[in-house]
């Protein structure tokens, strides 16, 4: 980037969707509705997995934490985005930008790790059923969840501190609706080489590596499914993990395109559209995917409604 001339930056201007003009109003209401559905749906899954003993298994233990992280992940981005859509000149102080980037990285990395743990749970249930209770005991599940949060915390702190120790002078306009890594790096008035290397390393470590492990798990699962004699048996085995597979493809698909695609960081408009998908739209799908096709969750929902709504 440029040199160190100019006034030290104390706040950034988030251009966001300011170029959309009259469409900002409908976009505000659309994002608000999606956010409310995300909060209600993921909160319901969290409540069900806590309240119903039938959902007391490793799969739903991971799902509960994934749903909670989805809520926090969306909340890190959406409320400020909604406020900015109503503002004529949306700005964010340097400290708030640091905080948003930290939590954005923390919850994003935690989700990647949790999805990997969920894939391992599917692998253990289908490919190693005789050892499942040993492999997925309570201590192992807690350790995997704890490691997921820890990886998110470490990565978030390291990335955020490194970026915000760079000097920012003069230019302060971010062509985005959030303080994402690459848009902020572009504004630094010192060399961003190591920041870009760090971003690539984190992407490889926490997007491509987990995704590769998930693919390896599903390769083993597929081999096991093909070894099942009856088509009914194959369908039953596949249905166990189909919801998770859909969420994985949605989450990692948009993330990989956004951070690893050839146009990553080169087109602000494309970056924003992709970011809108994985920060706003994707978290909304989780409750639908895990409820509409899951008899255990729908059964727990009916029992909960019967207990609290129809008990009188």
């Amino acid at each position: 980037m440029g040199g160190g001339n100019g006034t030290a930056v104390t706040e950034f201007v988030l251009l966001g969707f300011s170029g959309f003009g009259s469409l900002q109003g409908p976009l505000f209401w659309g994002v608000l509705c999606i956010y409310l559905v995300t909060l209600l749906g993921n909160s319901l899954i969290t409540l069900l997995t806590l309240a119903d003993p039938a959902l007391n298994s490793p799969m739903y233990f991971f799902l509960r934490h994934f749903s909670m992280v989805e809520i926090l992940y969306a909340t890190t981005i959406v409320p400020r985005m909604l406020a900015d859509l109503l503002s004529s000149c949306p700005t964010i102080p340097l400290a708030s930008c640091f905080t948003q980037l930290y939590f954005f990285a923390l919850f994003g990395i935690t989700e990647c790790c949790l999805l990997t743990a969920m894939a391992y749970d599917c692998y253990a249930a289908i490919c190693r059923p005789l050892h499942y209770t040993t492999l997925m005991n309570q201590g192992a599940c807690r350790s995997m969840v704890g490691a997921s949060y820890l990886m998110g915390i470490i990565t978030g702190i390291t990335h955020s501190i490194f970026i915000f120790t760079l000097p920012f002078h003069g230019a302060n306009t971010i062509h985005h609706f959030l303080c994402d890594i690459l848009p902020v790096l572009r504004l630094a008035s010192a060399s961003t080489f190591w920041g870009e290397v760090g971003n690539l390393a984190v992407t490889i470590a926490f997007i491509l590596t987990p995704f590769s492990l998930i693919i390896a798990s599903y390769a083993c699962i597929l081999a096991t499914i093909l070894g099942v004699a009856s088509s009914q048996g194959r369908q039953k085995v596949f249905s166990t993990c189909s919801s998770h597979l859909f969420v994985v493809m949605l989450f990692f698909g948009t993330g990989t395109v956004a951070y690893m695609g050839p146009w990553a960081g080169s087109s602000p408009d494309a970056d924003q559209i992709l970011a809108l998908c994985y920060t706003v739209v994707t978290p909304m799908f989780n409750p639908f995917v895990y409820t509409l096709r899951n008899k255990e969750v729908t059964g727990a929902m009916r029992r909960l409604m019967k207990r609290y709504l129809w008990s009188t």
Side-chain angles (χ1 to χ4, degrees), residues 42-60:
N42 284 288
S43 296
L44 178 60
I45 287 182
T46 303
L47 177 63
L48 288 173
T49 55
L50 282 171
D52 199 300
L55 302 182
N56 186 26
S57 68
M59 173 184 172
Y60 296 109

Side-chain angles (χ1 to χ4, degrees), residues 211 248-258:
F211 187 63
V248 165
M249 298 307 294
L250 195 63
F251 182 84
F252 282 98
T254 53
T256 301
V257 171

Side-chain angles (χ1 to χ4, degrees), residues 47-155:
L47 177 63
L48 288 173
T49 55
L50 282 171
D52 199 300
L55 302 182
N56 186 26
S57 68
M59 173 184 172
Y60 296 109
F61 175 73
F62 291 128
L63 179 58
R64 176 165 68 248
H65 283 276
F66 186 74
S67 295
M68 290 189 295
V69 173
E70 287 274 57
I71 292 171
L72 296 170
Y73 181 68
T75 302
T76 299
I77 307 301
V78 178
R80 174 168 285 278
M81 177 186 173
L82 291 172
D84 289 345
L85 282 170
L86 297 177
S87 174
S88 59
C89 185
T91 60
I92 181 169
L94 207 65
S96 298
C97 189
F98 171 89
T99 303
Q100 186 183 62
L101 193 149
Y102 164 69
F103 282 111
F104 177 63
L106 188 163
F107 296 129
I109 297 302
T110 302
E111 282 195 357
C112 291
C113 296
L114 285 173
L115 285 170
T116 308
M118 294 165 78
Y120 180 73
D121 176 58
C122 288
Y123 161 80
I126 294 172
C127 301
R128 304 191 64 184
L130 298 179
H131 301 91
Y132 180 75
T133 54
T134 302
L135 293 172
M136 301 304 297
N137 59 65
Q138 194 175 64
C141 292
R142 288 178 176 175
S143 296
M144 282 188 271
V145 168
S148 299
Y149 285 112
L150 183 61
M151 289 298 99
I153 291 170
I154 292 173
T155 306

Side-chain angles (χ1 to χ4, degrees), residues 222-275:
L222 180 61
T224 302
I225 290 175
L226 294 176
V228 176
S230 66
S231 59
Q232 185 177 1
R234 291 194 198 100
Q235 185 176 359
K236 183 178 180 180
V237 172
F238 180 74
S239 65
T240 304
C241 297
S242 58
S243 297
H244 173 260
L245 183 59
F246 180 83
V247 172
V248 165
M249 298 307 294
L250 195 63
F251 182 84
F252 282 98
T254 53
T256 301
V257 171
Y259 290 101
M260 295 295 291
W263 53 81
S266 62
S267 171
D269 290 337
D271 289 346
Q272 288 191 91
I273 292 171
L274 286 169

